[in-house]
Amino acid sequence: MPHRDPAGWLWLKERLIPLRQARRPAAAPGAAPAAVRTAVVTDSAAALPADWVRAFAADGLLTVVPMPVMVGAEIYGEGEDDIADTIAVALASGRPVKTSRPSPGQFEQAYLAAQRRGFESVVSVHISGELSGTADSARLAAARVGIPVEVVDSRTVGMAQGMGVQGAVVAAADGRTAAEVREFAEQQLARTKVYFYVPSLEQLRRGGRIGAAASLWGTMFSIKPILAVEDGRVVPLEKVRSAAKAIARLQEIVVADATGRPAGQARLAVHHFGNPAEAGLLAAQLAEAVPGCPPVQISALPAVLAAHAGLGVLAVIVGESGTPADPETSATS
């Protein structure tokens, strides 16, 4: 564990404090916390902050399987190579950029590593099956190993998926069963929304992530689209006449969503690719418009998503903070 607690670890401790305060009636005062029995596995489309990965990968609680990106004939792995500049140059020059799902063997290795570390089960949370076959690879791997694996199709992407993974880590670190870890992850996922703006729909169209008819939005009359992820798919949300108006409208949509959440519960994350200044400005405006929200997380899109969204994307994820309910309490509620 790093000497200085990273932001992700601080968030986890905040969630665990109430869990450790008299949440276990059978536990004696001062008793050690429950042993962690379930490991969490995800893929790099979850866009998790680097501090989260560093903090929880060391003891095997969290494993992120990289998703491959192909630039021309070269294959790169998220986290294994610094490929952001390579992708940006390729997209700007019109070179083909493609993505693929991880192999079942990569997930098999992750699950077996968890078993060797003494975990009793795994919860594996992945990018929407409508956008990638990653969850299918995970299911194939789960059938090959002796350790029980719960595979969750997040039906979303980016930090919306990441918030579900963080929820799984919270529940796993509290010693919950695999079924409880999965349930809390799914609860967190159900509360997330993804809204984003792209200067052009061409890259999404090339990758088959949005229909050809919808891509006309980005070519007719200089229309700038605002999109969302609904039930695992990228869908057009609104069409705006200029980039400035599209970003302003994106902000309005996010603020309306976030302020409609339970008081103090909204969490926001902003993704970008090649436009960090725009992302920083948007995050500052959102922080001002949504009082009481934790600091807005700002991060570049992972390579596997940037390859489809293209340069200039701005994505905002709206989610909620939460703590897994005590099993006895939830059973009687």
Side-chain angles (χ1 to χ4, degrees), residues 172-294:
D174 191 49
R176 302 305 178 94
T177 66
E180 292 165 350
V181 171
R182 175 176 186 152
E183 180 181 8
F184 187 56
E186 290 177 337
Q187 290 173 1
Q188 295 298 97
L189 290 166
R191 296 173 183 143
T192 63
K193 290 288 292 185
V194 180
Y195 306 100
F196 64 108
Y197 153 78
V198 290
S200 169
L201 287 170
E202 181 60 20
Q203 196 62 27
L204 283 168
R205 185 194 65 78
R206 287 181 181 178
R209 266 59 182 185
I210 195 166
S215 71
L216 291 175
W217 276 19
T219 58
M220 296 172 58
F221 310 112
S222 299
I223 287 172
K224 300 299 181 183
I226 298 174
L227 304 103
V229 176
E230 296 282 358
D231 196 25
R233 299 180 181 181
V234 176
V235 297
L237 198 61
E238 293 189 9
K239 45 188 176 181
V240 187
R241 293 286 181 169
S242 70
K245 290 180 179 179
I247 295 171
R249 181 59 184 144
L250 174 64
Q251 180 180 336
E252 291 175 356
I253 293 169
V254 169
V255 170
D257 184 335
T259 54
R261 307 283 176 133
Q265 289 296 299
R267 291 180 62 203
L268 299 175
V270 174
H271 293 315
H272 63 87
F273 185 55
N275 50 336
E278 280 187 315
L281 177 59
L282 177 59
Q285 292 169 335
L286 290 172
E288 184 177 351
V290 188
C293 181

Side-chain angles (χ1 to χ4, degrees), residues 47 78 84 158-159 270-273 299-307 309-310 313-315 317:
E78 186 83 53
M159 262 305 294
V270 174
H271 293 315
H272 63 87
F273 185 55
S299 61
L301 273 181
V304 69
L305 302 184
V313 60
L314 284 173
I317 287 79

